[in-house]
Every structure is written in structure tokens, then in C-alpha cells.
């Protein structure tokens, strides 16, 4: 991504700062590979709810906060069931579903489905966004 800013000095939206190479990395999910270091350090799992921005924490409902009952992962149930094409509510619901149904076999299924999503390059972004809109809490 570039560091392009508007006249007031604010960063432009991600979609306007993403380079051609950056779009390629995102579409192939190669931008996720550095997170393997976090898995090796024990800070993340291969499978679990994707970590989100820290400033979202105050916006979660108690039910949405349940996604933190398990270690975050590189891929998860929400990623193989809609990824960034989901609404925030759908994404949180799938994360909590994963917490409630956690099992070795579910993780194996998610890893397999992740490879399919990567090959098909599906649900990489929301329409009109580089990834997806910022979470603003439930209205």
C-alpha cells in the first residue's frame, strides 16, 4: 500500500492506496504468510477467528466478545463461509459458532476449505472496498 493522503493529510481509503502488486498479494492470500511466525510463537493458531483491530474491542456486544474465548487464527469459519463478502454481524455470528463447535475435525475441514477459497480467489473484498468497511458497532 502507498502512503497517499488527501489535502487534509488523512490517509486515502485502502482501495485508492493498494498497488497492483498489493492487489495480487491480497487475491492470492500471500499477504497472510507472515502470520505463520505468530503461529510458531504460540500467539495465534492456524484456525480460529481472525484477529481484528484493537479499537473495535469497545464496540463488541457481549456475544461478539465471545470470539475471544479461543486463540485467533490465520483462517476461520467466517473466512471459508463468506470472508470479506459477509456483513460484520454475519462474520461475528460465524466466529461465535466456531467457538461453540470447536473440534479437530472442524479445523481440518476449515483448512481444506481455505485452500479451495484461495484457489478460487473468492470473497476477497466487499463491493467498492479493498477489504471491507470498518466495524462501527451494532446500530
Amino acid at each position: 500500500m502507498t502512503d497517499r493522503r488527501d489535502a487534509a493529510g488523512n490517509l486515502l481509503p485502502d482501495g485508492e492506496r493498494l498497488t497492483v502488486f498489493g492487489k495480487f498479494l491480497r487475491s492470492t492470500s500471500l499477504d497472510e504468510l507472515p502470520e505463520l511466525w505468530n503461529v510458531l510463537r504460540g500467539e495465534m493458531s492456524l484456525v480460529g477467528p481472525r484477529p481484528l483491530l484493537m479499537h473495535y474491542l469497545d464496540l463488541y456486544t457481549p456475544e461478539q466478545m465471545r470470539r475471544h474465548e479461543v486463540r485467533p487464527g490465520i483462517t476461520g469459519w467466517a473466512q471459508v463461509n463468506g470472508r470479506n463478502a459477509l456483513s460484520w454481524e454475519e462474520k461475528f455470528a460465524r466466529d461465535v459458532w466456531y467457538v461453540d463447535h470447536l473440534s479437530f475435525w472442524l479445523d481440518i475441514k476449515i483448512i481444506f476449505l481455505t485452500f479451495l477459497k484461495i484457489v478460487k480467489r473468492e470473497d476477497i473484498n466487499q463491493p467498492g472496498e479493498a477489504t471491507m468497511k470498518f466495524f462501527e458497532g451494532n446500530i
Side-chain angles (χ1 to χ4, degrees), residues 69-121:
E69 293 175 11
V70 298
R71 191 170 290 167
I74 293 176
T75 188
W77 192 241
Q79 283 63 49
V80 298
N81 287 287
R83 201 172 174 185
N84 288 331
L86 297 172
S87 69
W88 280 108
E89 291 74 20
E90 293 168 319
K91 186 175 282 202
F92 282 120
R94 283 167 176 77
D95 287 345
V96 172
W97 185 92
Y98 172 79
V99 170
D100 291 340
H101 296 86
L102 179 66
S103 73
F104 173 76
W105 293 111
L106 179 59
D107 285 0
I108 295 299
K109 179 178 181 177
I110 291 170
I111 290 169
F112 174 75
L113 292 172
T114 297
F115 285 113
L116 292 179
K117 284 283 185 185
I118 291 170
V119 170
K120 292 180 180 180
R121 296 184 182 186

Side-chain angles (χ1 to χ4, degrees), residues 21-36:
F21 183 63
K23 288 177 186 174
F24 169 76
L25 289 177
R26 294 255 334 120
S27 71
T28 59
S29 296
L30 290 172
D31 61 327
E32 305 296 344
L33 288 179
E35 290 179 346
L36 288 175

Side-chain angles (χ1 to χ4, degrees), residues 42-54:
E43 299 166 347
M44 288 180 73
S45 294
L46 287 175
V47 179
R50 291 283 300 141
L52 298 174
L53 299 173
M54 293 293 290

Side-chain angles (χ1 to χ4, degrees), residues 58-78:
D58 294 337
L59 303 174
Y60 295 159
T61 66
E63 181 70 7
Q64 292 168 341
M65 188 64 81
R66 292 192 55 229
R67 70 191 307 277
H68 296 285
E69 293 175 11
V70 298
R71 191 170 290 167
I74 293 176
T75 188
W77 192 241

